[in-house]
Amino acid sequence: MKSIGILGLGHCLPERVLSNHDLEKMVDTSDEWITTRTGIKERRIAEKDQPNSSLATGAALEAIANSGIAAEDIELIIVATISPDSNFPSVACLVQKAVGARKAAAFDVSAACSGFLYALTTAKQFLAGGMFKNALVIASEKITDLIDWNDRGTCVLFGDGAGACVLGAVDDGHGIISDFMHAQGEFGDLMAVVSDGREPMDQKRELIRLPYVVMQGKELFKVAVNSMALAVEEALKKAGLGLHDIDLVVPHQANDRIITAVAKKLEVPKERFFINIHKYGNMSAASIAVALYEAEEQGVLKKGDHVALVTFGAGLVSAANIVKW
Ligand code: ACO
């Protein structure tokens, strides 16, 4: 069986930056509180006329260009998102049209912050099984549309963005060498989207009932640390590797303190974790995809490195992949 790996990466981030100081003018918070509790300094906010699919398309076009595969030869498109333009058509179908991937099958995956890894493993299985030769995997969120901008407990945490990769056959022994996916539905009420009415961020929009995120941060924190540590261990076990074999961990960027706690639990030095949360906050499914893009762009990833991708998200869902670069 051919090894399946990443042929090209892409990303797309909205221009608009919302800093902690900007948030100080919106809710009762401070740069000091946000920085010490989360590590976040600023995040990106998509414009009103910039739907999720436009971010997804931007990331997809860059990943396709970097992959050496023509858009019309893409056979499968999977978009991980919990903030699609609308219930349907799927963001994947909107991207298919925008990039001209006429031959592709296309669908969305909903696994919150674990979406990118759920989509990656799903696509890999299609390729490993021989149904498709390549796949475009995108994680794209306009999650700030789901935020209650009066709730300081959640509005400081999130940002918009998209990352993408093209998967295909790679050198033997390289690529995605193991996968772990898990769900614990019993923790579903720790974070959810409810719809019992709130004020929109932009008062000019005449929306009176908007869905928004509610979260039990403290409880989620504990489950997050345990499930991320477990996911890495399980994926390593499947790969026949140990923690000392890992050159880089690219974790979901929900909170710098969660990453510190995971590093401590696994006894892996935090310097081996790639962190960009200070710039973008939590971009849900898109966080790992954008972090992976930046790790490669910055030359942190070297050919032959073992990389652990690990995440948790609302559901609760967790996942990890070990990739040999
Ligand atoms: N600014 C100032 N004060 C605040 C803010 C804020 N933005 N938010 C909360 N506070 C206050 C609270 O009201 C509380 O005040 P009180 O003591 O007077 O009641 C105090 O700060 C402490 O609040 P806690 O919620 O206990 O703060 P905690 O240290 O737990 O940090 C945080 C909160 C950052 C949310 C943390 O719990 C966390 O990161 N949890 C995990 C969240 C997460 O991972 N979410 C996403 C996961 S799933 C996914 O990614 C889709």
Side-chain angles (χ1 to χ4, degrees), residues 8-12 56-68 162 164 166 293 297:
L9 288 159
H11 77 313
C12 182
T57 299
L61 287 170
E62 188 181 14
I64 292 168
N66 287 335
S67 74
V166 174
Y293 175 91
E297 189 188 35

Side-chain angles (χ1 to χ4, degrees), residues 53-274:
S53 60
S54 73
L55 300 174
T57 299
L61 287 170
E62 188 181 14
I64 292 168
N66 287 335
S67 74
I69 291 180
E72 57 268 27
D73 293 330
I74 297 286
E75 298 187 0
L76 172 66
I77 302 173
I78 305 180
V79 175
T81 189
I82 47 157
S83 50
D85 297 16
S86 64
N87 286 17
F88 55 83
S90 66
V91 177
C93 283
L94 297 170
V95 170
Q96 179 198 23
K97 181 181 170 200
V99 305
R102 278 188 208 88
K103 277 187 246 160
F107 62 93
D108 290 356
V109 158
S110 170
C113 305
S114 295
F116 181 59
L117 300 194
Y118 263 59
L120 203 63
T121 295
T122 305
K124 187 198 123 178
Q125 293 306 110
F126 277 111
L127 271 52
M131 186 166 172
F132 300 115
K133 284 197 287 299
N134 60 53
L136 171 62
V137 178
I138 306 163
S140 184
E141 300 286 14
K142 192 179 178 186
I143 193 166
T144 61
D145 267 354
L146 294 173
I147 297 305
D148 176 354
W149 291 93
N150 292 318
D151 176 11
R152 67 178 182 173
T154 52
C155 75
V156 302
L157 302 175
F158 297 96
D160 300 324
C165 67
V166 174
L167 289 186
V170 294
D171 293 346
D172 268 358
H174 287 256
I176 303 167
I177 56 178
S178 80
D179 332 88
F180 173 78
M181 287 161 65
H182 186 51
Q184 293 163 279
E186 67 271 27
F187 294 120
D189 54 359
L190 295 186
M191 185 172 179
V193 172
V194 297
S195 190
D196 57 5
R198 66 162 167 95
E199 288 176 29
M201 178 193 188
D202 179 350
Q203 297 295 327
K204 277 177 249 151
R205 279 190 286 179
E206 290 177 283
L207 299 177
I208 45 164
R209 287 178 72 82
L210 291 170
Y212 64 98
V213 167
V214 290
M215 188 180 79
Q216 297 176 42
K218 256 197 198 324
E219 292 70 16
L220 201 51
F221 194 107
K222 288 177 222 147
V223 189
V225 174
N226 291 334
S227 56
M228 283 173 87
L230 180 81
V232 172
E233 285 166 350
E234 291 295 327
L236 279 170
K237 217 184 291 173
K238 284 191 180 178
L241 297 171
L243 286 162
H244 54 276
D245 295 309
I246 294 301
D247 299 292
L248 187 72
V249 182
V250 181
H252 175 48
Q253 317 273 318
N255 184 328
D256 187 58
R257 283 165 58 223
I258 292 179
I259 297 172
T260 303
V262 172
K264 203 167 151 205
K265 200 170 169 70
L266 290 173
E267 297 179 20
V268 172
K270 200 179 167 197
E271 300 72 58
R272 269 191 245 160
F273 284 67
F274 188 87

